[in-house]
Structures are given as structure tokens and as C-alpha cells.
Amino acid sequence: QVQLMESGGDLVQPGGSLRLSCAASGSSGVTFSSLAMTWHRQVPGKERELVAAADILTRYADSVKGRFTISRDNTKNMVFLYMNNLEPEDTAKYYCRACGAAIGCYWGQGTQVTVSS
């Protein structure tokens, strides 16, 4: 019912910055502004973890507080993740997720972020 497409992942040096984007489409009966939007990341062999959330609250994982900012543009059905001062530990595949009370939750396919010298 909801399709999500992430973009913006890249290889970046430590201390660099990236902006990830997530575009939502496909659900004509759902108002994008009513959806809780979150960013998650996953490293092979580890559990997928919540990075940032833009729902009724704006929340961040402790590991990214002060460095990452989540933002959304409800007129464009998009959510963004601004990542600053990137560290090698931030290397992961990043996914966006949309959740609504009536429709459940949907995942994007992910975009790879690699932080390396």
C-alpha cells in the first residue's frame, strides 16, 4: 500500500556529511503527514536498529544524537536524514519505514552508507 524509496547513500570519509532521502508513494487513501516516519540501519549479522524517528516526537539513538537530524516535507511525501560528522561506526545499510495505525508498517529497500578513510 505504501512504497518507500531511499537514496543518497555513498562512500564518505570520517567527518563527512550525507543527506539521505526517502520518498513515499502508492497509498491514495493515506495522508503522509499522519504516518510515523523512522530511519533505521543494519550491519550484516546484527539486528536492525532505530536511528531517528519523526512521529509525535522527534527521537534519536544515543549514538547519533547531536550528529544526525531527521526532517520531513509532508507536501512532497518525503523524509530526510541529515548526517554530519560521520564515523566508521555509522557504516550500515539505512532504511526508512512508514507506519500508520490503519495500514501497518512498510520498509524501503535501503541505501548503503560507508564511512571509511
Side-chain angles (χ1 to χ4, degrees), residues 19-76:
R19 185 189 75 169
L20 305 185
S21 301
C22 177
S25 63
S27 182
S28 61
V30 177
T31 301
F32 180 77
S33 62
S34 72
L35 300 178
M37 301 298 300
T38 53
W39 284 97
H40 308 249
R41 65 187 181 187
Q42 187 170 27
V43 176
K46 298 184 65 177
E47 296 288 333
R48 190 171 297 182
E49 64 173 344
L50 176 68
V51 174
D55 40 55
I56 192 168
L57 300 173
T58 301
R59 297 173 288 138
Y60 300 94
D62 288 341
S63 60
V64 307
K65 284 181 180 178
R67 300 188 298 116
F68 290 12
T69 302
I70 188 170
S71 180
R72 63 193 295 168
D73 186 341
N74 291 330
T75 68
K76 301 183 184 299

